[in-house]
């Protein structure tokens, strides 16, 4: 019998790559999408999978819609990826963010516990949960204290703890993947990597003349979404439910990112980048570098993309599209 996977947020960057990955492993794939007034926004990343996957309208805050999806998909594996995923926007809509990213996960866990407790559950946890805590060697790992600095991070931390609690209290196979930033050509263009790459290509082609950014001194550990969805599958299928960090172990500032991308296009970023306070955050997470040694040693996971090949993939994409 084919395995059945349910992916909440299947139309997002990770949801779409995970759906492709699970189809390649012969799964039946089910997923939830949220209604949007611009219909194209709902399925632009999964249109090519139309005939191969089963999608349902649902919302993390609408428990009856989730119950219908659980009952119709009867999942063996549940990947909970749906969320309000933009950290800066979470300061503007804190209540919505906390409800969706924390109470929404509680809705999912209650359905999991009562409808299909024999299934496996993966929660998309985030390096944003660490806030500004860094170990003395300059990395974050599973033992690093978590002190989030955004409504998004606070909500993700509550969800992370709920998953651990449900695992222990109800003996469920519920796992957390703490994923550091991961990008791709499918990344929303209001996240910094795709914003920089897309605008740099537009400047190169004479379509724009400047790039407005916020804080250029923060550092992130950027990997490729394709590598990270592979890790999700390994985490959920590990014999014991557990927590894992997924990261490259390399960090770069937003400034380094600009220098690489503009340099690749034979331009100097300093001629085009201007700072706009609009893109600053009330509290900033300054530095992320993940220690994924447990995922490497226990699961045998390792990334195929480097920072440079990730950026090159995104540059090639926009050079073709624009
Ligand atoms: N989005 C954005 N736009 N970020 C900017 C800009 C800008 O114009 N200018 C500077 N930045 C800086 C941000 O202040 C932040 O320090 C860094 O670029 C990365 O921002 P994002 O790409 O928006 O990602 P994020 O780190 O806030 O959050 C992402 O990673 C988390 C994992 O740590 C998201 O994918 C989250 O959903 C994810 O959990």
């Amino acid at each position: 019998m084919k395995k059945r996977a349910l992916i909440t947020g299947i139309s997002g960057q990770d949801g779409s790559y995970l759906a492709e990955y699970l189809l390649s492993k012969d799964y039946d794939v089910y997923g939830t999408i949220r209604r949007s007034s611009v219909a194209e926004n709902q399925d632009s990343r999964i249109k090519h999978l139309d005939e191969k996957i089963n999608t349902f309208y649902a919302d993390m805050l609408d428990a009856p819609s989730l119950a219908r999806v659980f009952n119709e998909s009867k999942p063996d594996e549940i990947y909970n990826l749906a969320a309000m995923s933009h950290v800066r926007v979470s300061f503007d809509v804190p209540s919505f963010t906390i409800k969706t990213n924390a109470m929404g996960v509680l809705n999912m866990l209650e359905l999991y516990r009562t409808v299909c407790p024999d299934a496996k559950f993966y929660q998309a946890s985030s390096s944003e949960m660490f806030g500004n805590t860094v170990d003395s060697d300059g990395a974050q790992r599973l033992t690093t204290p978590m002190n989030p600095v955004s409504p998004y991070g606070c909500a993700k931390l509550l969800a992370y703890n709920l998953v651990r609690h449900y695992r222990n209290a109800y003996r469920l196979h519920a796992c957390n993947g703490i994923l550091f930033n991961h990008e791709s050509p499918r990344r929303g263009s209001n996240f910094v990597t795709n914003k920089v790459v897309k605008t740099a290509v537009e400047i190169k082609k004479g379509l724009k003349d400047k790039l407005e950014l916020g804080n250029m001194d923060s550092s992130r550990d950027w990997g490729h979404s394709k590598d990270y969805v592979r890790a999700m599958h390994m985490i959920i299928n590990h014999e014991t439910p557990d927590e894992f960090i997924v990261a490259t172990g390399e960090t770069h500032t937003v400034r380094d990112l600009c220098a690489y991308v503009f340099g690749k296009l034979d331009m100097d970023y300093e001629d085009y980048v201007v700072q706009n306070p609009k893109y600053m955050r009330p509290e900033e997470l300054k530095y992320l570098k993940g220690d994924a040694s447990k995922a490497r040693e226990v699961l045998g996971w390792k990334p195929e993309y480097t920072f440079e090949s990730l950026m090159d993939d995104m540059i090639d994409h926009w050079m073709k599209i624009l």
Side-chain angles (χ1 to χ4, degrees):
M1 264 247 299
K2 277 179 146 192
K3 277 200 199 167
R4 301 159 74 94
L6 168 62
I7 305 172
T8 66
I10 197 167
S11 59
Q13 168 188 259
D14 293 358
S16 61
Y17 282 125
L18 180 61
E20 286 170 6
Y21 186 69
L22 295 177
L23 286 169
S24 78
K25 298 217 161 278
D26 207 29
Y27 278 69
D28 275 335
V29 176
Y30 298 78
T32 68
I33 52 175
R34 224 167 11 118
R35 191 258 166 192
S36 157
S37 55
V38 182
E40 291 71 24
N41 291 352
Q42 289 172 179
D43 60 5
S44 59
R45 296 185 181 98
I46 50 171
K47 227 176 169 33
H48 61 294
L49 304 176
D50 223 13
E51 306 285 299
K52 300 183 184 148
I53 59 176
N54 311 281
T55 57
F56 302 87
Y57 281 112
D59 191 290
M60 296 296 282
L61 297 178
D62 183 349
S65 72
L66 297 176
R68 184 172 61 90
V69 176
F70 268 79
N71 286 320
E72 292 192 21
S73 63
K74 299 186 177 53
D76 300 302
E77 293 175 16
I78 302 158
Y79 295 86
N80 188 40
L81 312 187
M84 202 307 281
S85 65
H86 202 285
V87 175
R88 205 209 58 73
V89 174
S90 78
F91 291 94
D92 297 343
V93 289
S95 170
F96 173 77
T97 304
I98 303 282
K99 283 184 203 144
T100 306
N101 295 5
M103 293 301 290
V105 179
L106 184 64
N107 286 340
M108 289 291 292
L109 287 168
E110 270 299 300
L111 283 162
Y112 168 35
R113 178 175 81 82
T114 52
V115 177
C116 51
D118 293 331
K120 297 174 178 178
F121 188 98
Y122 171 91
Q123 167 62 14
S125 287
S126 162
S127 49
E128 186 71 21
M129 300 187 306
F130 289 113
N132 282 317
T133 324
V134 187
D135 285 0
S136 55
D137 65 348
Q140 287 97 1
R141 46 182 56 82
L142 288 165
T143 48
T144 307
M146 294 177 176
N147 296 301
V149 292
S150 61
Y152 172 89
C154 292
K156 282 283 180 183
L157 183 52
L158 173 51
Y160 172 80
N161 282 319
L162 284 169
V163 169
R164 288 157 63 100
H165 164 58
Y166 268 64
R167 172 166 78 223
N168 297 330
Y170 305 112
R171 310 242 167 276
L172 296 168
H173 190 104
C175 336
N176 277 297
I178 304 178
L179 271 50
F180 281 59
N181 297 49
H182 46 286
E183 320 293 313
S184 74
R186 294 187 194 168
R187 187 55 141 155
S189 52
N190 56 350
F191 292 90
V192 78
T193 52
N194 217 14
K195 181 172 174 183
V196 169
V197 174
K198 184 178 177 210
T199 313
V201 172
E202 285 171 328
I203 292 171
K204 180 77 187 168
K205 298 203 173 214
L207 302 169
K208 278 205 177 142
D209 56 9
K210 65 174 181 193
L211 165 61
E212 291 188 4
L213 289 178
N215 180 10
M216 296 186 65
D217 297 314
S218 55
S219 297
R220 291 292 183 272
D221 177 331
W222 282 295
H224 199 301
S225 172
K226 277 189 186 172
D227 283 333
Y228 287 37
V229 300
R230 236 179 346 101
M232 293 177 190
H233 184 248
M234 289 172 143
I235 291 170
I236 207 173
N237 283 297
H238 183 54
E239 54 198 4
T240 41
D242 205 347
E243 271 76 57
F244 289 91
I245 281 185
V246 182
T248 68
E250 230 187 78
T251 192
H252 299 267
T253 61
V254 173
R255 200 175 294 283
D256 292 340
L257 164 71
C258 292
Y260 182 81
V261 172
F262 279 79
K264 208 57 201 181
L265 296 165
D266 298 319
M267 297 185 293
D268 182 347
Y269 80 93
E270 292 191 78
D271 296 336
Y272 303 100
V273 176
V274 289
Q275 279 197 303
N276 184 337
K278 183 167 119 183
Y279 299 110
M280 301 284 194
R281 299 163 184 202
E283 195 176 4
E284 173 71 281
L285 192 163
K286 299 184 191 82
Y287 178 92
L288 284 174
K289 186 172 93 151
D291 174 357
S293 48
K294 180 172 165 186
R296 286 173 183 264
E297 283 155 25
V298 177
L299 304 174
W301 174 82
K302 69 170 196 289
E304 283 174 9
Y305 284 83
T306 60
F307 171 77
E308 289 78 14
S309 62
L310 162 64
M311 291 307 144
D312 294 350
D313 189 26
M314 296 172 72
I315 294 169
D316 288 348
H317 168 80
W318 285 111
M319 287 298 279
K320 278 189 207 123
I321 297 274
L322 289 169

